[in-house]
Amino acid sequence: GFADYYEGDALPTLVDSLEGRLPRYDKPIGFLFAPGTSWQYSGGGYVILQMALEDEMGEPLENLVRKRIFEPLAMTHTTMVQPGEPGFPTDVAAVHDDAGALIRTGLPITPQVSASGMWSTPSDLARFAIAIQRGLRGETVGPVTPPIARAMTDIVSLHYVGGMGMPFFRGFGLGNTEWFRHDGSNTGVNSDLFAAMDGGYGFVLMGNGDDDNTGPVFASLRREIIAGMGWRDRHPIPD
């Protein structure tokens, strides 16, 4: 993962990121295995995709995703514009450390927007997940067609983690449900998305605190939501 920056810092370019001129990357980003054959966490891989898309399409990634994904899916509170740039929202939650203190300005800047620079809300992420669920049922919602929905939730690798596709993890267990899900955190902020592969239900959690604080809260909320909604009973496990 890439380090966050704040207003007043010297921001690296995408070329700096690709060539390893960063605190967390001291060598150029390169291919470790043939695409589609395995999986590892790679913020750098998304930087390669970002640069390829911007070079091919001739405009910044934040414009491409706004026009092609966010607007068609009515994700009106989602952006890849960064703090200090024109169009950045004025009502975002500030980030906090594990002691509950504000981290610097409270508004981290992520120059590598493809890897970790999206700002959103639980409702907007739920709209994204619902579009995929409807795609899995054979419907087309905006840019999400059934083939895209299936490709996004397919399991690519079991080697490093328990079922990882392009953007989502796949998992069983919680609520006797097969989920496509994604969790993740930057410094001082955390999120968790669970969506059922079948049945059209799920939830999104967000918190503006470090993992030490938000992790236990999320774990408790997951259990309470699943139990309260009775989702476990939809898929009983035979004795």
Side-chain angles (χ1 to χ4, degrees), residues 20-227:
R21 297 194 293 265
L22 298 171
R24 292 187 184 177
Y25 283 95
D26 59 359
K27 58 184 178 181
I29 296 169
F31 287 99
L32 301 181
F33 43 78
T37 63
S38 188
W39 181 90
Q40 275 188 299
Y41 185 96
S42 177
Y46 281 92
V47 172
I48 295 173
L49 289 175
Q50 178 181 347
M51 180 167 282
L53 281 169
E54 292 182 344
D55 286 352
E56 175 67 20
M57 305 301 291
E59 57 183 314
L61 182 65
E62 54 263 32
N63 292 349
L64 293 171
V65 295
R66 173 178 52 80
K67 293 186 294 186
R68 293 170 177 262
I69 300 174
F70 301 155
E71 289 180 352
L73 294 180
M75 297 172 65
T76 57
H77 297 284
T78 302
T79 184
M80 283 187 163
V81 173
Q82 296 301 294
E85 296 178 345
F88 183 74
T90 59
D91 58 350
V92 300
V95 301
H96 294 75
D97 62 19
D98 56 5
L102 188 72
I103 300 175
R104 296 183 61 179
T105 65
L107 299 176
I109 299 169
T110 307
Q112 307 85 7
V113 295
S114 56
S116 54
M118 189 178 80
W119 295 76
S120 191
T121 64
S123 296
D124 269 13
L125 289 187
R127 290 184 181 93
F128 182 63
I130 290 168
I132 296 170
Q133 289 175 323
R134 290 176 62 184
L136 292 172
R137 294 200 300 264
E139 302 175 43
T140 294
V141 183
V144 182
T145 63
I148 287 176
R150 288 192 296 271
M152 291 179 72
T153 54
D154 276 349
I155 295 173
V156 174
S157 171
L158 291 169
H159 185 64
Y160 287 99
V161 290
M164 181 69 195
M166 286 190 291
F168 294 113
F169 294 91
R170 287 276 300 278
F172 296 87
L174 285 172
N176 298 343
T177 294
E178 182 181 6
W179 305 98
F180 66 90
R181 56 176 294 261
H182 199 297
D183 62 335
S185 61
N186 283 22
T187 303
V189 67
N190 204 349
S191 66
D192 208 355
L193 180 155
F194 276 71
M197 289 290 292
D198 178 56
Y201 56 91
F203 58 90
V204 182
L205 306 174
M206 283 187 172
N208 59 329
D210 259 345
D211 289 350
D212 289 347
N213 293 331
T214 53
V217 175
F218 283 12
S220 177
L221 285 172
R222 285 194 295 265
R223 292 191 295 268
E224 291 183 17
I225 291 169
I226 289 170

